[in-house]
Amino acid sequence: MLPVAADVLVFIHSLYVLFTVGGALLILAGGLFRWSWVRGRLFRIIHLCAVLLVALEALLGVLCPLTVWEYELRKAAGKHAEEDISFVGRILRDLIFVELPDWGFLLLYLAFGAAVVLLSFCIPWEPRRHRRRKPSDEGQ
């Protein structure tokens, strides 16, 4: 059961990566093609926070909690964290993990975080809309 839970966690981790990278690409495409939904405040705040969280973890030298949790689940099941992985788990891990030195990850994550912040200026969020009050019927 624990190896399956670890594979589910890798799947969730891959969705997180897809959201951060894919979200940035969609914001860029949306800016070019004038898609209004990419300017949505909630989407942009969540996306920016997700990206900056990864950059902050890299800056502080903190391992990703999802990776640590996955390794712990595999170890608890008596598996080797890097070797005893299911076919699907291995495919997902190969998609989200690349071989880089620590400084390479730091540079990659900080550059990506800076790029997403820059996107916020180049393709701004929608302005906050103020609710208009309905005219009261009292004056009529």
Side-chain angles (χ1 to χ4, degrees):
M1 187 63 171
L2 291 176
V4 172
D7 286 346
V8 169
L9 198 54
V10 172
F11 177 71
I12 292 168
H13 199 170
S14 64
L15 290 177
Y16 189 93
V17 172
L18 179 65
F19 174 69
T20 57
V21 175
L25 293 173
L26 286 172
I27 292 167
L28 185 58
L32 295 172
F33 295 113
R34 302 187 192 279
W35 298 336
S36 61
W37 68 268
V38 299
R39 295 180 186 269
R41 185 172 286 282
L42 181 62
F43 168 68
R44 296 293 290 273
I45 288 172
I46 292 170
H47 182 259
L48 182 62
C49 288
V51 170
L52 292 181
L53 175 66
V54 173
L56 182 63
E57 286 173 352
L59 193 60
L60 296 175
V62 175
L63 288 175
C64 174
L66 295 174
T67 302
V68 172
W69 193 12
E70 176 207 346
Y71 283 5
E72 293 300 322
L73 285 170
R74 292 195 194 285
K75 286 179 189 175
K79 307 283 183 181
H80 296 299
E82 294 288 338
E83 299 166 8
D84 296 331
I85 301 173
S86 71
F87 177 73
V88 173
R90 185 169 308 285
I91 289 173
L92 291 173
R93 290 199 85 228
D94 287 347
L95 289 173
I96 61 176
F97 292 105
V98 295
E99 291 293 324
L100 286 176
D102 290 342
W103 64 266
F105 280 110
L106 176 63
L107 185 62
L108 178 70
Y109 294 151
L110 291 179
F112 186 68
V116 171
V117 169
L118 183 63
L119 273 177
S120 292
F121 292 103
C122 296
I123 304 167
W125 305 358
E126 70 182 9
R128 184 173 269 170
R129 295 181 187 156
H130 297 287
R131 287 183 154 189
R132 291 187 179 184
R133 294 183 185 166
K134 292 183 180 181
S136 65
D137 293 329
E138 296 173 17
Q140 295 181 12

